[in-house]
Each structure stands twice: as C-alpha cells, then as structure tokens.
Amino acid sequence: MLSKPARWWRAAAAVAAGGLPCLAFPAPALWWFAYVALVPWMLLLRSAPTGRRAALEGWLGGAGFILAVHHWLLPSLHVFLLPLAALLGLLWIPWALLVRELLGGDGARGRAGAALVLVPAAWLLSELARSWQGLGGPWGLLGSSQWQVPPVLRLASVGGVWLVSLLVAAVNCAVVLLIVAPAARVPAVAGLTGCAVLTGVVWLWVPRPEVSGGLRVAVVQPGLVADGPDSADRRFAAGERLTRGLAGQHPDLVVWGESSVGADLTARPDLARRLAALSAEVGAPLLVNVDARRPPAAEPGTTGGAGGTGAAAGAGGTGTTGGSGAPGIYKSAVLVGPEGPTGARYDKMRLVPFGEYIPARALFGWATSVGKAAGEDRVPGASPVVMDLPGRPDVRLGPLVCFESAFPDMSRHLAREGAGLLIAQSATSSFQHSWAPAQHASLAALRAAESGRPMVHATLTGISAVYGPSGERLGSSLPTSASTAALYEVPLARGTTLYVRFGDWPVGAALAVLAVYCAAAGVRSFRAGRPAPEPTAPRARTARG
C-alpha cells in the first residue's frame, strides 16, 4: 500500500514522464530522443502496485503528453486546455494497463515477446482514437517526430506514420526490458534487431519514387500584419507586392497561404481582377485561399468530387469544385488564372475544433469568453478536390488547408485520385513565437513520404517549406521572421507507394493482435472462473475370501 507522499510523488512523476516525448518534436526536434522518451513513463507504470494505480498514472501521463505537445494552444484556449488534456489522457489507460501486465514482474520470455507486440499496438490504439477530428486530430503522433530521418521516412511510404509509431514504441519497450528484466534480454535484443532489419530492408529494397519532370513553384509569405479593421486588405497588398517581384522568373504556379484573401471574390470583383492581372504579369496561375462569408449566389452551378469538372465560377476556364451549398464562412483554396478564377476551388473539410467551430456549441459556447474560440462556426466543404493546373496538362494539384496536413488519409486520397503535387495552405500567426509553426511544417515531410508526391507547405507568417517525393526538404524553409517570395524547383514523381496502395494496414494489424489478446484473456478468465469438477470416487471393489 502506497503512503500518501508516495502517491503524490508518483502522480507528479507520471505527468512529467508523459510530457517527455514532446522534446522529440519540433521545435527542439531531438528525433533520437523518441526512442527512449517513453521509458521513464513505462518504468513507472510497470511498478504500479495495482491495476487501478496503473490506470491513474496512464491517465495522468497522457494528460501530461497532451499539455506538453500542445502547450502553445494556451493563449487561445486558456484554462480550457486543462479539461481537454484530462479528457484525452483517458485514451492511454488501456496502454498503461498492458504495460503493467506484460512488463511487470520478472519479465518471463514469453510475456516479454508478447509485450514487444502488444504494448506498441496499444500505443497505436491511443493515437488512432485521438486522431478523430473532433478530438483535435492526429497532431503529435509519435511517428511524426521522425520527419527528418530518411530511412524512417521510407518506412512511412510502406505503412504511413502509423508504422513509424509502432517501430518507435517497440524500441522503447525493448529498452525497458533490457533495463528491468535480465531474463528477457534475448527477446529484447531480438526486437531491437528486428526493428533495425525492417528499416534496413525497406531502405534497400522498397523502390524510391520515380522522378519524372519538375515544376517551378513559388511560395508567397507576406509575414506579420498588425491586426486592425483593414488588416485583410493590407495582407492582400503585401502578397500582391511580393508576387509581382516574381515576374520574369517563370514560375509554373504561385501559392499563397491560408486566409490570404479576406473577401469572397464574387462579392469583391475588384480583388478578382487584381489577382487575374497579377497572374498575367507573372505568367502563372495563383492558388490563393479565401477566408470569407460566401453568399448563396457565389455557389458554382455544378459541384462534384475529386476529379470531376464543374462550371467555372468566374471568367475563363473549367475546374473541379468540392463546394457546399450552404451560405456561411468558408476557407477555400481558389485557383486564379489570367482571365480570373478558373472555377477550381476546394472548401476546407476538416475544421479545427474551437478555432473554426465549437463542438456542441450549446454546451461549450462559453469557451468564446475565455479564449480565442470561434465566434461563429465555419462551414465545412463537401468533398476533396484535385485541380488541373493550367498550362501543365501533366500536373494536377491536391490542395489541403491548415491542419488537414496532419491527416494521412486526406493526402493519400488525393494521391490516389491523381494529384501530382500536394499543397497545404496554412496560417499559424496566432502562435508565431511558439513551437507550432515548426511542428506544422514538419508534417508535410511525412505526407510527402507517405504519398510519394512532393508537398508545398505555404503559410502567411512562416514556417513555409517544400518537400520532395521522398520527404526530403527542397531548398531553404522560410522562417517566421521572413516576408518574401521564394521559388522552388520541385521534382515530380510517378508510381504508387505501398501506403497509397494498401492504406492504414498497420492500424488494422494492431487492432487484430489486440483483439486476439483480449479474446484469449477472456477465455482464460472464463476457465478460471469455472468450478473445478468434483473428483469421482473410485469404484468399490469386493474382497473375496
């Protein structure tokens, strides 16, 4: 039985240990630390005197992890981040119970071997559950910490960020066994060797994306613009000025960041004309992002899914559109050519909880009084969109907006639908001096490696970055202090990665092994609860004299 001081000490240690993995993510970006970051937390859990205590420390550690990885949200959410972390921390309870069950005690070989499979699978279960958009999305997945490690990025092309998370969690599990269970050193070393061999085999034998041609893409980052009633107009003017400086450099595409246009182009035809003139001046279409209320009359005549063709929303051209029919505030990627909007438009589908809408507003609407929560819900788009690039019939664009770049399934879908270039338009202006810009930019490397397609991460205020089809960084990123336009030579790639072809198979495998374990545990529990059969009396023998 733990004394009261010991209980408090362990509780504080659980919160601190749960927060340690944040050091593996940008901005610290100590990627190597991820392979041992879970060890202190797991050592604490395995020593829990009861399952109830392990569940409590798993919950506290999970809350500590959420607070550490998302601490930059405090200026926006304020105290609401604490109950949010407490809610999400519950997702680590099954993992904590498995750690105590399989890593506690003397570490018998059979149980150690099971731990190397089941403990990483349970960690992945917690990541999968919190990846639901309503719970904040897949931000801070353990595998995302490896965004700058080429051999691990190759693993992502096979099984996505999920496979990388499994590998990192398995290495942590093996290190714990090496520390506390001398009897389990053989399976622990075998597990580490297996992870290294898997990474090596994938690095050597999985084909790299086949480069075929290239594209000159310019990223326009206007930088910080002081808040005020005319801030949207001043931001537009800054983007216009920087874009004009690209004239004569012959870009194929110019990309502006999220919310770079603050008015609907139908309601403000003067802005549409200025963008069209700018496109003609630089000799390339512009992919801008409109963050504005759209009147019903602004809706295109035809809507369709990715790959379809809709009626042009403005003069000059056809394109695809994934628009919704309801009026309201949208965030939309809009393609503009020399003759005006081409009709190609993508409306952001997955909105940021509290930042762009409030879940169950009737219940949580009070969040607007304590933070920078959305005063009005934005309207989500209806479907993904793949856009044709004017002047380049061999290239199609797959746009995403803001934290949609955190979702592996969205970029995978765009790649399957024929996108040759992925583009994420973002704005992290509210978190300018935090870890958020670097964390957000790093996600594009994972999406590029998973899909085998280059990805452009264009922001208003930094960090903007461009990655090649293997997840390698192209050129220099644009820091948060920059106000500039930069031109990148982007290699295009053909072929299909295994992740694009087979999807989230590591998740399915993890769920399958956990289901088998739960079924086996249920059978054992049932058998243990059955009364033992009563012994039968031996047959009486008659003695003969």
Side-chain angles (χ1 to χ4, degrees):
M1 189 71 178
L2 293 174
S3 64
K4 188 172 182 180
R7 290 198 298 268
W8 282 106
W9 178 88
R10 289 183 64 96
V15 175
L20 282 177
C22 76
L23 298 176
F25 296 91
L30 304 176
W31 63 265
W32 51 267
F33 184 63
Y35 294 94
V36 294
L38 301 180
V39 170
W41 190 8
M42 295 169 76
L43 291 175
L44 185 71
L45 293 172
R46 72 173 295 275
S47 66
T50 64
R52 183 175 180 179
R53 186 72 203 182
L56 174 64
E57 292 169 0
W59 172 45
L60 292 173
F65 177 82
I66 294 298
L67 285 172
V69 175
H70 299 81
H71 70 274
W72 43 268
L73 284 172
L74 275 170
S76 294
L77 294 184
H78 292 286
V79 295
F80 199 80
L81 183 59
L82 297 177
L84 181 62
L87 171 65
L88 294 179
L90 296 171
L91 300 175
W92 274 271
I93 289 178
W95 176 76
L97 293 174
L98 263 182
V99 169
R100 179 181 180 273
E101 175 69 22
L102 298 176
L103 297 179
D106 58 359
R109 288 192 179 188
R111 194 166 55 176
L116 288 169
V117 175
L118 292 168
V119 169
W123 177 272
L124 197 64
L125 180 65
S126 67
E127 291 199 335
L128 178 66
R130 71 186 182 89
S131 294
W132 178 50
Q133 176 207 338
L135 293 179
W139 193 285
L141 301 184
L142 194 59
S144 297
S145 65
Q146 306 302 296
W147 64 277
Q148 54 187 324
V149 185
V152 184
L153 286 174
R154 190 70 54 78
L155 277 177
S157 74
V158 174
V161 67
W162 313 110
L163 182 59
V164 181
S165 285
L166 280 175
L167 179 135
V168 175
V171 171
N172 277 271
C173 186
V175 172
V176 170
L177 288 171
L178 288 174
I179 293 173
V180 303
R185 284 177 181 168
V186 171
V189 171
L192 290 173
T193 304
C195 291
V197 169
L198 172 64
T199 304
V201 168
V202 169
W203 175 257
L204 292 173
W205 296 104
V206 171
R208 292 167 171 79
E210 181 182 352
V211 174
S212 175
L215 201 67
R216 294 170 60 85
V217 180
V219 174
V220 175
Q221 180 178 297
L224 280 175
V225 173
D227 290 335
D230 63 341
S231 58
D233 291 336
R234 285 185 284 116
R235 184 181 299 113
F236 185 96
E240 191 177 31
R241 172 179 53 81
L242 293 170
T243 303
R244 191 168 286 116
L246 295 168
Q249 299 186 44
H250 309 293
D252 295 304
L253 175 67
V254 179
V255 182
W256 288 18
E258 179 187 12
S259 305
S260 49
V261 179
D264 181 79
L265 295 180
T266 302
R268 289 285 304 275
D270 59 314
L271 295 183
R273 287 192 296 269
R274 287 166 65 181
L275 289 172
L278 199 58
S279 172
E281 186 174 349
V282 300
L286 314 178
L287 186 69
V288 300
N289 189 274
V290 178
D291 183 1
R293 185 176 303 280
R294 183 185 307 155
E299 293 299 319
T302 305
T303 60
T309 301
T318 61
T320 57
T321 172
S324 302
I329 302 175
Y330 290 79
K331 283 192 175 180
S332 306
V334 178
L335 195 62
V336 181
E339 298 181 9
T342 66
R345 188 194 75 230
Y346 165 67
D347 298 332
K348 183 179 182 182
M349 297 173 60
R350 296 183 182 174
L351 305 176
V352 180
F354 296 98
E356 294 171 338
Y357 79 103
I358 296 182
R361 183 176 285 272
L363 183 62
F364 297 115
W366 57 270
T368 59
S369 62
V370 297
K372 299 177 182 178
E376 178 182 349
D377 292 350
R378 283 173 169 77
V379 182
S383 62
V385 166
V386 175
M387 301 177 176
D388 296 326
L389 179 60
R392 288 294 301 268
D394 58 322
V395 181
R396 306 185 76 199
L397 311 177
L400 299 168
V401 181
C402 191
F403 94 139
E404 289 183 330
S405 65
F407 293 87
D409 65 302
M410 296 195 72
S411 53
R412 174 176 175 259
H413 177 87
L414 291 171
R416 287 176 63 92
E417 292 297 321
L421 175 67
L422 302 176
I423 300 172
Q425 297 173 300
S426 176
T428 50
S429 309
S430 301
F431 315 105
Q432 188 73 354
H433 302 294
S434 72
W435 293 0
Q439 285 185 13
H440 201 175
S442 70
L443 295 174
L446 269 296
R447 304 292 86 84
E450 289 168 343
S451 62
R453 297 292 181 264
M455 186 160 189
V456 174
H457 179 78
T459 73
L460 290 180
T461 58
I463 296 173
S464 297
V466 181
Y467 299 92
S470 294
E472 74 280 14
R473 183 178 296 181
L474 302 176
S476 300
S477 59
L478 305 183
T480 54
S481 59
S483 174
T484 186
L487 188 64
Y488 295 86
E489 298 285 346
V490 181
L492 302 175
R494 295 185 298 183
T496 304
T497 65
L498 293 176
Y499 176 69
V500 170
R501 188 177 304 169
F502 298 110
D504 301 328
W505 62 265
V507 173
L511 294 176
V513 298
L514 289 172
V516 170
Y517 172 77
C518 291
V523 170
R524 287 196 303 269
S525 177
F526 175 75
R527 288 178 176 175
R530 293 177 62 182
E534 296 184 6
T536 57
R539 295 179 63 184
R541 300 182 64 183
T542 302
R544 297 182 179 179

